[in-house]
Each structure stands twice: as structure tokens, then as C-alpha cells.
Amino acid sequence: MATFTDAMSRLVSGLAVITTRRAEGEPCGLLVSSICSYSVDPPSVLVVVDHASRCHDPLARCGEFGVHVLGSAQEGTARTFASRGADKFAGLAWEWDAAVPRLRAAPIYLRCTATAVFGHGDHTVLIGEVTRADVAEAEPLVFYRRLLDWRLRGGGGLHP
């Protein structure tokens, strides 16, 4: 499986923070690279969450969640949500959007209603129908070869 993991590390992907509300009312969130457009009609995304994540259970049981696609200026946010830190929202600009914690700095924000949740291997697949979409211009933050600080630069090249 090491060869498989190495092969998948060479797949360029965007990075997103997925957020929801815990049963106790506190926000939770995690960084993912396993996210994609799932359907245009209805507009839907597919997100994959590791069972070991502290945010797994709230996401697997949530009614709504947020997808925050990060831009190159959010490398610090990416590192925060990739960490095992307890309060990932401390010091960040965020607000509640209905039951969804929304990060203000993310250039792309999608509020989603969970429509399907199922397990596969050591992950849970979460499909969400998009109920709100806000988009601002920004260069993407890209995940490649296990590093989250890659950026697209002039001429379309990928550079650390």
C-alpha cells in the first residue's frame, strides 16, 4: 500500500476546511483534500472523512456542514485545521451561518445539507447538497506530494 499512497500523493488537489456544529453546540472542523464536485443537478459535493478524525462523528451525524475551499493566503488556516489542536477556531475570523461555522477568509464557501453518509474502509463518504455558494477571486492553495504549500504561478506551473 505504500506505493498506492505515494501514487495518490502525486495527485494535485485543492484543500478545504469542512465545518459543522458538535451536538454540544461547539464548532468543529478539519482539513481535507478528498473533496470533489458530485452533481450539478442538484448541486452537490462529495467529501471523505477519516474515521480517526475528532470531527468524524459530528460530520457523520450532521444535518448541515460547510465547505471552505482555501486560497493561497490561507496556508496558516490549513495548518491549523490539519493539526490535532483542541480549539481550531481560536483566533480565526468566523461566524455562524445557521448551524454551520463559516470561516470568513475562505474565497469559496458552500453551505451543504447532508443527503448521504456511508462508510467505506477507514473513511466515511459524505454527500452534501449545496444550499448556499459564495465565491471570491483568489489563487488556490494546492496539496501535492504531501505538502500543502504549493501554489499555481504564472504560466500555470506548480511551485512550492
Side-chain angles (χ1 to χ4, degrees), residues 90-156:
L92 292 178
W94 70 278
E95 62 196 10
W96 289 106
D97 178 20
V100 176
R102 179 180 179 170
L103 304 178
R104 291 186 192 143
I108 298 173
Y109 169 69
L110 308 172
R111 186 176 68 210
C112 303
T113 299
T115 57
V117 179
F118 58 93
H120 183 80
D122 58 357
H123 283 68
T124 294
V125 177
L126 181 63
I127 298 172
E129 189 171 320
V130 177
T131 59
R132 176 180 181 167
D134 296 328
V135 179
E137 287 299 318
E139 291 294 320
L141 181 60
V142 190
F143 188 66
Y144 177 65
R145 297 189 83 168
R146 297 182 184 97
L147 297 173
L148 56 82
D149 56 355
W150 294 83
R151 290 166 177 79
L152 296 177
R153 301 239 171 104

